[in-house]
């Protein structure tokens, strides 16, 4: 019985701290407009790009960033994995390709674009060896 409670508590704890990522641009715009948040569009190569993996680990997966982001950002992911086992559905790959055509024409990875609720670019950045709070300040600086 203790094991069941422990597992249930662990599951609830983990889901409480998980990053809310959206993979559909229209959903992200609607959510950003309804909640008055900015969109953080992240272009990444999750299984091949070393700076992308560092950004994911050092910023996106930190409790500090997740706690801040839930109230301020709509997180939109455009992943471009290379390994077959991580392949996206054809529909999702097409969607990500269209986002790249519009917002990442130079093919930078990782590439982080901050957008308003209409999809207008407010600013962009990439991987930086900074703390989560410093990265948040960078993202917030594009709003002004």
């Amino acid at each position: 019985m203790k094991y069941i409670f422990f597992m249930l508590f662990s599951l609830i704890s983990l889901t409480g701290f998980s990053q809310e990522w959206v993979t559909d641009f229209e959903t992200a715009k609607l959510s950003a407009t309804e909640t008055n948040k900015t969109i953080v569009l992240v272009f990444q190569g999750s299984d091949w790009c070393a700076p992308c993996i560092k950004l994911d680990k050092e910023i996106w997966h930190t409790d500090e960033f997740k706690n801040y982001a839930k109230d301020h950002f709509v997180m939109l992911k455009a992943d471009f994995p290379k390994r077959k086992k991580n392949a996206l559905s054809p529909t999702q790959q097409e969607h990500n390709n269209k986002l790249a055509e519009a917002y990442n024409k130079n093919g930078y990875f990782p590439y982080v674009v901050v957008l308003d609720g209409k999809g207008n670019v407010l600013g962009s950045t990439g991987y930086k060896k900074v703390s989560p709070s410093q990265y948040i300040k960078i993202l917030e600086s594009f709003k002004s």
Side-chain angles (χ1 to χ4, degrees):
M1 189 67 155
K2 288 181 184 177
Y3 177 76
I4 292 171
F5 284 120
F6 175 75
M7 292 304 292
L8 184 60
F9 177 77
S10 297
L11 183 62
I12 291 169
S13 297
L14 287 174
T15 57
F17 289 106
S18 65
Q19 183 73 48
E20 289 286 330
W21 287 95
V22 178
T23 57
D24 179 73
F25 188 43
E26 295 306 317
T27 301
K29 289 194 299 185
L30 182 63
S31 178
T33 301
E34 289 177 350
T35 60
N36 198 31
K37 296 178 184 177
T38 52
I39 299 168
V40 176
L41 169 56
V42 180
F43 291 95
Q44 68 177 26
S46 63
D47 64 2
W48 60 271
C49 170
C52 300
I53 294 166
K54 284 183 177 184
L55 184 60
D56 196 47
K57 180 181 175 185
E58 295 172 8
I59 305 297
W60 309 142
H61 277 94
T62 65
D63 289 341
E64 181 179 1
F65 185 84
K66 289 188 279 190
N67 288 331
Y68 187 86
K70 70 181 176 186
D71 295 325
H72 298 88
F73 303 130
V74 174
M75 301 299 294
L76 176 61
K77 185 185 298 186
D79 194 13
F80 291 84
K82 288 190 176 179
R83 294 188 184 125
K84 247 184 196 178
K85 69 177 185 175
N86 299 328
L88 304 174
S89 70
T91 303
Q92 187 63 52
Q93 188 62 60
E94 182 181 331
H95 177 71
N96 291 357
N97 291 343
K98 286 180 182 176
L99 282 172
E101 287 172 21
Y103 295 104
N104 191 6
K105 291 179 194 245
N106 294 319
Y108 297 135
F109 289 92
Y111 190 54
V112 180
V113 185
V114 179
L115 309 165
D116 66 16
K118 294 180 182 174
N120 298 312
V121 176
L122 302 176
S124 64
T125 189
Y127 172 75
K128 299 198 182 308
K129 182 73 175 156
V130 296
S131 70
S133 61
Q134 290 170 314
Y135 207 87
I136 289 166
K137 285 180 185 175
I138 293 167
L139 297 177
E140 287 291 345
S141 73
F142 299 131
K143 291 182 180 180
S144 34

